[in-house]
Amino acid sequence: MKNNPNQKNSLKHVLFGSLIGTTIEFFDFYIYANAAVLVFPQLFFPSANSTMATLESLATFSIAFLSRPLGSAFFGHYGDKIGRKFTLVAALLTMGISTVAIGFLPSYASIGVAAPLLLMLCRFGQGVGLGGEWGGAVLLAIENAPPHKRAWYGMFPQLGAPIGLLLSGGTFLLLTDSMSNEDFMNYGWRIPFIASALLVVVGFYIRTKITETPSFETAKIEQEEVKVPFLELVKSYKNQLVFGTFAAITTFLVFYLMTVFTLSWATSDLGIVKRDGLLIQLFSVLFFALFIPVSAVVADKIGRRKMLILATAAIAVFGSFFSFFLSTGNITLVTTFACIGMALMGFTYGPLGTFLSELFPTNVRYSGASLTFNLAGILGAAFAPMIAIWLASTYNVSYVGLYLTAAACISLFSFLVISKDEHKF
């Protein structure tokens, strides 16, 4: 049966369909981030130098950001050509299968160099899946939204990030508390990767209940689709693609500095035990989750661009305080630092999906929003943990803050010069 272009999905399907998928995707993505700091350096990259082992592990972490634009281009093409629904399901399965496979990988001690190579292959698959997932989930929400509530609807898939992080961090905390370190390193770390299969089944079921968005159906009836969306983007929307990418880099950078870098620095250099590091991270994520809906409400009142400019300016200022918060092992200071950073992350992340989607018309929106978001991931996050650890180790932690401030200035400039053309929904 074909959808009526005037018929919208029910509110329940829109909210759950966009939220559940990104929650699963980000849960899968973040359990890898935690394992890359806590487990993989010892099991997949044995080295006499612990810093080098961590850097090698974080290098595999970056692979997913390099593969995400490939997922954006591939799934975005079919999302703009044949529809959002099929593409969302396919992206979810790609991510899920790659994640479960990590849970069954043998270690370096068992099969040598083949172990990190297989880990890299699975991480590549995770990136491809998430590259296709995010854009479709955001479009499912905002292409069903009333014009005056577009940021509010668009923030539901964004909530999948803090929820997925809470689930992943909580799972690792539960496992480390309930078993010995030896058992955790032998098999315990595998449990969240394998158990994610159950979440994928739930997400798959919900996604199959979704109908196409009215915007896509209308564009299809009016024969607005283009033959190759990617080529159309490069030809007609270079301004949006380039400056949209640079506008989003600060969002990625601040997040991975607050999570991967902070966890690694706190546990390896500040003397904070891993359990306390995870607790600090989990507590700070509550601020991330809280300020996503707050930012969406504000963005619908004052505009998405203005909200993002204000948040990015605040992040630029925040970068100058890294040395104050992270020069000692004072848990109160580290916790305060993480909470402020995550609150700012909520302010910038909440309206970002809506803002990027509004830059493009329906017939290239899936490809355009996905590519800008995931290209920003390469520039803002792929190597961010490694760069930050190198800066902090070679110089001092204040240089990490300068790194963030410089990125925020680039994003601010991009918000100011990006095309302000409005596209219909």
Side-chain angles (χ1 to χ4, degrees), residues 381-392:
F383 304 104
M386 289 187 295
I387 293 172
I389 289 173
W390 178 79
L391 286 171

Side-chain angles (χ1 to χ4, degrees), residues 269-321:
D269 292 80
L270 298 184
I272 296 175
V273 297
K274 290 181 179 179
R275 185 179 187 279
D276 289 343
L278 284 171
L279 283 172
I280 291 171
Q281 186 180 84
L282 288 174
F283 180 68
S284 69
V285 173
L286 297 177
F287 289 80
F288 180 21
L290 174 64
F291 284 99
I292 286 177
V294 171
S295 68
V297 171
V298 177
D300 276 331
K301 290 184 178 297
I302 69 173
R304 270 67 80 180
R305 185 191 308 269
K306 187 177 292 185
M307 175 71 247
L308 288 166
I309 287 173
L310 292 173
T312 306
I315 291 171
V317 174
F318 175 66
S320 63
F321 290 92

Side-chain angles (χ1 to χ4, degrees), residues 243 246-247 249-250 312 405-415:
F243 290 108
F246 284 110
I249 61 171
T250 300
T312 306
T405 298
C409 290
I410 293 172
S411 292
L412 280 172
F413 174 79
S414 300
F415 281 121

Side-chain angles (χ1 to χ4, degrees), residues 67 331 405:
S67 62
I331 290 183
T405 298

Side-chain angles (χ1 to χ4, degrees), residues 21-30 64-65 67-72 75 90-96 98 123-137 252 256 349 366 370 373-374:
T22 52
T23 298
I24 295 166
E25 299 277 1
F26 282 107
F27 170 79
D28 289 356
F29 208 69
Y30 295 151
F65 291 98
S67 62
R68 278 168 72 160
L70 296 178
S72 298
F75 288 112
L92 180 67
L93 291 177
T94 301
M95 182 75 173
S98 300
R123 183 61 173 168
F124 180 87
Q126 281 192 314
V128 170
L130 187 56
E133 157 66 28
W134 179 87
F252 279 93
Y256 284 100
Y349 193 63
Y366 200 132
S370 295
F373 184 77
N374 290 303

